[in-house]
PDB file of all heavy atoms in Angstrom:
ATOM      1  N   GLN A 320     -33.239   2.040  36.933  1.00 98.00           N
ATOM      2  CA  GLN A 320     -34.210   1.281  37.724  1.00 98.00           C
ATOM      3  C   GLN A 320     -34.659   2.082  38.945  1.00 98.00           C
ATOM      4  O   GLN A 320     -35.835   2.083  39.302  1.00 98.00           O
ATOM      5  CB  GLN A 320     -33.605  -0.061  38.137  1.00 98.00           C
ATOM      6  CG  GLN A 320     -33.367  -0.949  36.924  1.00 98.00           C
ATOM      7  CD  GLN A 320     -32.781  -2.301  37.290  1.00 98.00           C
ATOM      8  OE1 GLN A 320     -32.606  -2.638  38.445  1.00 98.00           O
ATOM      9  NE2 GLN A 320     -32.469  -3.090  36.290  1.00 98.00           N
ATOM     10  N   GLY A 321     -33.713   2.769  39.575  1.00 98.00           N
ATOM     11  CA  GLY A 321     -34.065   3.608  40.727  1.00 98.00           C
ATOM     12  C   GLY A 321     -35.061   4.682  40.328  1.00 98.00           C
ATOM     13  O   GLY A 321     -36.063   4.929  41.021  1.00 98.00           O
ATOM     14  N   MET A 322     -34.824   5.313  39.180  1.00 98.00           N
ATOM     15  CA  MET A 322     -35.745   6.355  38.710  1.00 98.00           C
ATOM     16  C   MET A 322     -37.116   5.756  38.377  1.00 98.00           C
ATOM     17  O   MET A 322     -38.153   6.343  38.658  1.00 98.00           O
ATOM     18  CB  MET A 322     -35.150   7.060  37.482  1.00 98.00           C
ATOM     19  CG  MET A 322     -33.952   7.928  37.857  1.00 98.00           C
ATOM     20  SD  MET A 322     -32.897   8.311  36.466  1.00 98.00           S
ATOM     21  CE  MET A 322     -33.912   9.443  35.598  1.00 98.00           C
ATOM     22  N   HIS A 323     -37.090   4.562  37.788  1.00 98.00           N
ATOM     23  CA  HIS A 323     -38.348   3.915  37.394  1.00 98.00           C
ATOM     24  C   HIS A 323     -39.220   3.629  38.624  1.00 98.00           C
ATOM     25  O   HIS A 323     -40.411   3.929  38.632  1.00 98.00           O
ATOM     26  CB  HIS A 323     -38.043   2.609  36.653  1.00 98.00           C
ATOM     27  CG  HIS A 323     -39.259   1.920  36.136  1.00 98.00           C
ATOM     28  ND1 HIS A 323     -39.807   2.210  34.911  1.00 98.00           N
ATOM     29  CD2 HIS A 323     -40.051   0.965  36.690  1.00 98.00           C
ATOM     30  CE1 HIS A 323     -40.881   1.462  34.728  1.00 98.00           C
ATOM     31  NE2 HIS A 323     -41.053   0.698  35.792  1.00 98.00           N
ATOM     32  N   VAL A 324     -38.631   3.064  39.661  1.00 98.00           N
ATOM     33  CA  VAL A 324     -39.463   2.726  40.837  1.00 98.00           C
ATOM     34  C   VAL A 324     -39.946   4.003  41.536  1.00 98.00           C
ATOM     35  O   VAL A 324     -41.065   4.048  42.053  1.00 98.00           O
ATOM     36  CB  VAL A 324     -38.750   1.775  41.837  1.00 98.00           C
ATOM     37  CG1 VAL A 324     -38.312   0.498  41.176  1.00 98.00           C
ATOM     38  CG2 VAL A 324     -37.586   2.427  42.526  1.00 98.00           C
ATOM     39  N   ALA A 325     -39.123   5.041  41.522  1.00 98.00           N
ATOM     40  CA  ALA A 325     -39.561   6.306  42.139  1.00 98.00           C
ATOM     41  C   ALA A 325     -40.788   6.841  41.407  1.00 98.00           C
ATOM     42  O   ALA A 325     -41.758   7.281  42.033  1.00 98.00           O
ATOM     43  CB  ALA A 325     -38.419   7.323  42.095  1.00 98.00           C
ATOM     44  N   ARG A 326     -40.762   6.773  40.077  1.00 98.00           N
ATOM     45  CA  ARG A 326     -41.915   7.266  39.301  1.00 98.00           C
ATOM     46  C   ARG A 326     -43.143   6.390  39.554  1.00 98.00           C
ATOM     47  O   ARG A 326     -44.258   6.882  39.618  1.00 98.00           O
ATOM     48  CB  ARG A 326     -41.574   7.281  37.808  1.00 98.00           C
ATOM     49  CG  ARG A 326     -40.610   8.403  37.473  1.00 98.00           C
ATOM     50  CD  ARG A 326     -40.349   8.439  35.971  1.00 98.00           C
ATOM     51  NE  ARG A 326     -39.092   9.115  35.730  1.00 98.00           N
ATOM     52  CZ  ARG A 326     -38.117   8.660  34.945  1.00 98.00           C
ATOM     53  NH1 ARG A 326     -38.258   7.515  34.313  1.00 98.00           N
ATOM     54  NH2 ARG A 326     -37.007   9.344  34.802  1.00 98.00           N
ATOM     55  N   THR A 327     -42.917   5.082  39.684  1.00 98.00           N
ATOM     56  CA  THR A 327     -44.044   4.177  39.961  1.00 98.00           C
ATOM     57  C   THR A 327     -44.681   4.545  41.307  1.00 98.00           C
ATOM     58  O   THR A 327     -45.912   4.637  41.416  1.00 98.00           O
ATOM     59  CB  THR A 327     -43.551   2.709  39.997  1.00 98.00           C
ATOM     60  OG1 THR A 327     -42.968   2.403  38.740  1.00 98.00           O
ATOM     61  CG2 THR A 327     -44.693   1.742  40.272  1.00 98.00           C
ATOM     62  N   ILE A 328     -43.855   4.770  42.315  1.00 98.00           N
ATOM     63  CA  ILE A 328     -44.382   5.118  43.643  1.00 98.00           C
ATOM     64  C   ILE A 328     -45.154   6.440  43.563  1.00 98.00           C
ATOM     65  O   ILE A 328     -46.264   6.566  44.075  1.00 98.00           O
ATOM     66  CB  ILE A 328     -43.220   5.207  44.669  1.00 98.00           C
ATOM     67  CG1 ILE A 328     -42.618   3.816  44.906  1.00 98.00           C
ATOM     68  CG2 ILE A 328     -43.705   5.821  45.985  1.00 98.00           C
ATOM     69  CD1 ILE A 328     -41.306   3.815  45.686  1.00 98.00           C
ATOM     70  N   ALA A 329     -44.573   7.417  42.872  1.00 98.00           N
ATOM     71  CA  ALA A 329     -45.230   8.728  42.758  1.00 98.00           C
ATOM     72  C   ALA A 329     -46.578   8.595  42.050  1.00 98.00           C
ATOM     73  O   ALA A 329     -47.579   9.179  42.469  1.00 98.00           O
ATOM     74  CB  ALA A 329     -44.319   9.697  42.014  1.00 98.00           C
ATOM     75  N   LYS A 330     -46.613   7.786  40.976  1.00 97.00           N
ATOM     76  CA  LYS A 330     -47.870   7.610  40.236  1.00 97.00           C
ATOM     77  C   LYS A 330     -48.915   6.915  41.098  1.00 97.00           C
ATOM     78  O   LYS A 330     -50.095   7.276  41.084  1.00 97.00           O
ATOM     79  CB  LYS A 330     -47.621   6.795  38.967  1.00 97.00           C
ATOM     80  CG  LYS A 330     -46.938   7.628  37.903  1.00 97.00           C
ATOM     81  CD  LYS A 330     -47.207   7.079  36.528  1.00 97.00           C
ATOM     82  CE  LYS A 330     -46.769   8.121  35.519  1.00 97.00           C
ATOM     83  NZ  LYS A 330     -46.909   7.726  34.157  1.00 97.00           N
ATOM     84  N   ARG A 331     -48.489   5.909  41.834  1.00 97.00           N
ATOM     85  CA  ARG A 331     -49.442   5.207  42.712  1.00 97.00           C
ATOM     86  C   ARG A 331     -50.054   6.189  43.713  1.00 97.00           C
ATOM     87  O   ARG A 331     -51.243   6.134  44.003  1.00 97.00           O
ATOM     88  CB  ARG A 331     -48.723   4.103  43.481  1.00 97.00           C
ATOM     89  CG  ARG A 331     -48.443   2.883  42.643  1.00 97.00           C
ATOM     90  CD  ARG A 331     -47.757   1.855  43.505  1.00 97.00           C
ATOM     91  NE  ARG A 331     -47.336   0.696  42.750  1.00 97.00           N
ATOM     92  CZ  ARG A 331     -46.577  -0.270  43.249  1.00 97.00           C
ATOM     93  NH1 ARG A 331     -46.153  -0.206  44.493  1.00 97.00           N
ATOM     94  NH2 ARG A 331     -46.236  -1.294  42.508  1.00 97.00           N
ATOM     95  N   LEU A 332     -49.224   7.075  44.237  1.00 97.00           N
ATOM     96  CA  LEU A 332     -49.735   8.025  45.230  1.00 97.00           C
ATOM     97  C   LEU A 332     -50.725   9.009  44.603  1.00 97.00           C
ATOM     98  O   LEU A 332     -51.554   9.588  45.299  1.00 97.00           O
ATOM     99  CB  LEU A 332     -48.567   8.784  45.893  1.00 97.00           C
ATOM    100  CG  LEU A 332     -47.694   7.909  46.809  1.00 97.00           C
ATOM    101  CD1 LEU A 332     -46.513   8.684  47.341  1.00 97.00           C
ATOM    102  CD2 LEU A 332     -48.520   7.354  47.962  1.00 97.00           C
ATOM    103  N   ARG A 333     -50.618   9.164  43.285  1.00 96.00           N
ATOM    104  CA  ARG A 333     -51.586  10.029  42.587  1.00 96.00           C
ATOM    105  C   ARG A 333     -52.806   9.227  42.128  1.00 96.00           C
ATOM    106  O   ARG A 333     -53.634   9.716  41.375  1.00 96.00           O
ATOM    107  CB  ARG A 333     -50.918  10.697  41.379  1.00 96.00           C
ATOM    108  CG  ARG A 333     -49.867  11.747  41.779  1.00 96.00           C
ATOM    109  CD  ARG A 333     -49.548  12.687  40.612  1.00 96.00           C
ATOM    110  NE  ARG A 333     -48.943  11.991  39.499  1.00 96.00           N
ATOM    111  CZ  ARG A 333     -47.621  11.825  39.327  1.00 96.00           C
ATOM    112  NH1 ARG A 333     -46.792  12.337  40.207  1.00 96.00           N
ATOM    113  NH2 ARG A 333     -47.159  11.185  38.285  1.00 96.00           N
ATOM    114  N   GLY A 334     -52.865   7.953  42.518  1.00 96.00           N
ATOM    115  CA  GLY A 334     -54.034   7.130  42.215  1.00 96.00           C
ATOM    116  C   GLY A 334     -53.900   6.272  40.974  1.00 96.00           C
ATOM    117  O   GLY A 334     -54.832   5.560  40.600  1.00 96.00           O
ATOM    118  N   ASP A 335     -52.755   6.321  40.313  1.00 95.00           N
ATOM    119  CA  ASP A 335     -52.531   5.514  39.108  1.00 95.00           C
ATOM    120  C   ASP A 335     -51.768   4.243  39.514  1.00 95.00           C
ATOM    121  O   ASP A 335     -50.551   4.265  39.678  1.00 95.00           O
ATOM    122  CB  ASP A 335     -51.715   6.344  38.108  1.00 95.00           C
ATOM    123  CG  ASP A 335     -51.344   5.544  36.865  1.00 95.00           C
ATOM    124  OD1 ASP A 335     -51.730   4.352  36.781  1.00 95.00           O
ATOM    125  OD2 ASP A 335     -50.664   6.101  35.980  1.00 95.00           O
TER     126      ASP A 335
END
Side-chain angles (χ1 to χ4, degrees):
Q320 294 181 4
M322 290 160 72
H323 184 87
V324 303
R326 287 183 202 131
T327 301
I328 292 169
K330 285 204 167 178
R331 283 181 185 172
L332 291 176
R333 291 198 296 269
D335 176 1

